[in-house]
Amino acid sequence: MPRPISLMYTNFLRRSTALLKSNPSASDATQLPNGTVTTAPEGALFPKVDPSIDGEDCEHDCQDCSIKYPPKWSIDEEEELYGHVKGWSTHLLVATGKTDWSRDVEDEKGSVMEVVVKGGVKPNNGRLMLSASNMPPPKDHHDFPKGERPTTVLLLPSFTIIDNVTPASVPELIHHFIDNAPTTTTPLHLPSPPSKPTTNGTSSEPPPIDSAAHFPPLVEPITIVTPSKSPVKAPISHPFSTRPCPHLAIILLCSQKTRDARCGQSAPLLRRELERQLRPLGLYRDFHDERPGGVGIYFISHVGGHKFAANVMVYRRGGIDEKNTGGEDSWVGEATQGIWLARVRPEDCEGIVKFTVLEGKVVKPERQLRGGFDRAKGLVSW
């Protein structure tokens, strides 16, 4: 029998609190750009569902799932998964409005992806994972010449949406936002709960966390060279605008059939089943639904390991509080965890929603867990 949503949310919040109290051992610690983290052995990064806690059916596949993969679906079921993904610091999703791309997304001529990879400016805070996505670009995107079209990007794990990004502004995007963004190994500092009103009726509650607070002001001198003059410094106002992503979690599905037809087949099927599981909980959000909370589902380009299709990445926020259960107050948090699964089938989606998205647990870690990070614990898989 499905558990009540109130119980699932209660367990979710309890799990978030427990994460903050964790103090992983310093043994096997790895020094990364943003601090010391521990490489977690298999079975230690994320908890596995426990029938004694999560119910006797927690390890069972969905019984009423009617969506199936093609009859001749075949993937690698033998190779070991955990601990073999390359570590990443930040993840940039670029809105393209498409579900398939050139085999290498940096070969999309005149795109933001092309300049991120080939423009010569690299982030200084570790490896950037780049994904083209089916997030819709701005309505006026096609009013501009190719190579000058503005788009929107989503930066993770900071859960920051950045608008008005053009190919020409990519170096500034990297310098101002990605270089200053929290990473998968940045220690997580969640805000304290809001304080109660004081005796004079006012509240001593601190303001919500602003995701843009990580970043420097959007005006700084740049070098301008003219044909007849020496280089001079001149201020420039950057065109970017930022806003926090409103979702409490994001599910990313590889859909790039130019890399592997199985990705193009699996992503739409998984999206349908995930949506079916999320809607009764009031958690499904489409591209234009910016109500706080909920779960966004995006198609992205190749992430590696298409022979293990379907690849699914789940980013879960920290700082979750009563707003995500219908309250009026909220903290704008960053991703606490990134959970990378593979070999996902439609019948796995119920467990992924109930336990992975809502509680940070994994149902089939031995078969499906490729890796990820837990910033509250200071653990990574790499």
Side-chain angles (χ1 to χ4, degrees):
M1 176 179 295
R3 297 183 301 168
I5 185 172
S6 58
L7 177 58
M8 288 191 290
Y9 270 128
T10 299
N11 290 340
F12 179 43
L13 299 179
R14 186 183 299 118
R15 172 67 186 148
S16 296
T17 302
L19 291 175
L20 296 180
K21 296 179 180 178
S22 300
N23 289 304
S25 169
S27 62
D28 301 322
T30 304
Q31 187 69 38
L32 293 177
N34 288 281
T36 301
V37 296
T38 301
T39 300
E42 186 172 4
L45 182 54
F46 308 115
K48 181 180 178 180
V49 293
D50 182 346
S52 66
I53 298 173
D54 302 305
E56 294 182 358
D57 63 345
C58 67
E59 296 178 317
H60 298 167
D61 291 340
C62 175
Q63 298 300 308
D64 63 349
C65 176
S66 62
I67 297 174
K68 305 294 182 183
Y69 281 159
K72 295 184 179 181
W73 184 265
S74 177
I75 60 170
D76 185 321
E77 295 279 2
E78 303 298 327
E79 188 172 328
E80 180 180 319
L81 289 182
Y82 182 79
H84 296 285
V85 296
K86 188 176 182 180
W88 73 99
S89 293
T90 51
H91 193 172
L92 188 71
L93 274 61
V94 181
T96 70
K98 302 192 298 183
T99 61
D100 197 22
W101 304 270
S102 301
R103 187 181 187 280
D104 297 306
V105 294
E106 62 268 28
D107 292 337
E108 295 269 326
K109 299 300 182 183
S111 70
V112 165
M113 294 88 71
E114 180 182 30
V115 183
V116 168
V117 175
K118 301 178 179 180
V121 178
K122 303 298 180 185
N124 64 13
N125 58 353
R127 177 176 173 249
L128 169 67
M129 183 185 294
L130 173 68
S131 296
S133 83
N134 68 331
M135 294 189 301
K139 292 181 180 179
D140 63 351
H141 176 76
H142 292 288
D143 294 343
F144 292 82
K146 191 173 183 179
E148 300 178 17
R149 293 171 179 168
T151 193
T152 298
V153 301
L154 172 59
L155 182 59
L156 298 164
S158 72
F159 268 74
T160 301
I161 296 172
I162 306 168
D163 295 307
N164 301 318
V165 178
T166 64
S169 67
V170 164
E172 294 153 5
L173 171 75
I174 293 173
H175 175 64
H176 283 275
F177 292 99
I178 298 174
D179 283 353
N180 292 285
T183 73
T184 57
T185 61
T186 303
L188 187 68
H189 301 292
L190 297 184
S192 302
S195 59
K196 296 181 179 180
T198 60
T199 54
N200 63 5
T202 62
S203 173
S204 58
E205 174 185 333
I209 292 178
D210 181 359
S211 60
H214 294 287
F215 311 118
L218 294 179
V219 176
E220 79 160 17
I222 64 167
T223 301
I224 297 177
V225 180
T226 63
S228 58
K229 297 182 179 180
S230 301
V232 296
K233 293 288 185 179
I236 182 171
S237 295
H238 296 257
F240 310 118
S241 62
T242 65
R243 51 197 166 97
C245 175
H247 305 315
L248 70 87
I250 290 174
I251 302 174
L252 305 179
L253 309 174
C254 178
S255 67
Q256 189 170 359
K257 64 183 179 182
T258 53
R259 281 290 186 131
D260 195 297
R262 291 169 294 188
C263 297
Q265 292 172 325
S266 63
L269 297 176
L270 290 180
R271 181 187 177 91
R272 282 170 53 196
E273 183 58 24
L274 287 165
E275 179 179 345
R276 190 177 78 89
Q277 297 294 334
L278 290 165
R279 280 194 181 279
L281 305 178
L283 294 176
Y284 177 72
R285 300 289 188 270
D286 63 24
F287 291 128
H288 306 291
D289 187 345
E290 296 196 355
R291 288 176 295 159
V295 179
I297 305 173
Y298 303 137
F299 292 169
I300 61 169
S301 55
H302 178 67
V303 292
H306 48 260
K307 64 181 178 180
F308 307 123
N311 278 274
V312 176
M313 301 181 74
V314 178
Y315 282 91
R316 301 178 65 247
R317 297 190 86 138
I320 305 301
D321 70 359
E322 67 270 18
K323 182 155 190 178
N324 304 118
T325 59
E328 296 182 357
D329 298 318
S330 175
W331 299 107
V332 179
E334 302 162 6
T336 303
Q337 295 172 310
I339 304 172
W340 189 339
L341 304 175
R343 299 174 179 146
V344 175
R345 303 178 68 92
E347 55 266 32
D348 297 318
C349 291
E350 180 180 26
I352 288 173
V353 168
K354 286 184 177 180
F355 301 111
T356 305
V357 173
L358 290 180
E359 299 188 27
K361 298 179 179 181
V362 181
V363 179
K364 302 174 182 178
E366 299 87 357
R367 179 177 179 269
Q368 294 183 328
L369 181 61
R370 294 191 70 184
F373 63 88
D374 188 317
R375 291 173 58 202
K377 291 181 179 179
L379 297 177
V380 295
S381 63
W382 51 83

